[in-house]
Amino acid sequence: MKEKGVQGGTPIGTPLCRSCVHASYIRGASLCDVILICTKFDREMQFEAYECKGHYDGKARSLYAMEEVAWRLNVDMRGRPVGFTPPEQEEEWDSSI
């Protein structure tokens, strides 16, 4: 009888659930007392996922959020200094042109 080899091996790194905004952990006093609920799939998970199409990293910002805090590069053709303008001062720069 031929033995089957291991395919994929042991996962490396931390599970995706630990950084996902859809995951809710409930931990008890013992290390094995853990309940993991995935709100993306509306179910209690029996294990932590290392690959998931529904994963959304809570630390990652959306493009809109990054544009809101980004500094704008202003180019002035009238000889005024050119530079970066913080978002809160952008309206002042636009109205002075």
Side-chain angles (χ1 to χ4, degrees), residues 5-16:
V6 176
Q7 294 181 4
T10 304
I12 298 172
T14 58
L16 294 176

Side-chain angles (χ1 to χ4, degrees), residues 20-55:
C20 186
V21 297
H22 302 296
S24 296
Y25 282 92
I26 301 169
R27 297 191 189 274
S30 175
L31 289 175
C32 62
D33 294 340
V34 177
I35 299 173
L36 171 60
I37 299 171
C38 179
T39 58
K40 176 71 176 179
F41 300 110
D42 294 325
R43 62 180 295 199
E44 182 179 338
M45 304 297 289
Q46 301 299 319
F47 54 87
E48 292 180 307
Y50 283 84
E51 292 182 22
C52 179
K53 289 186 178 183
H55 177 261

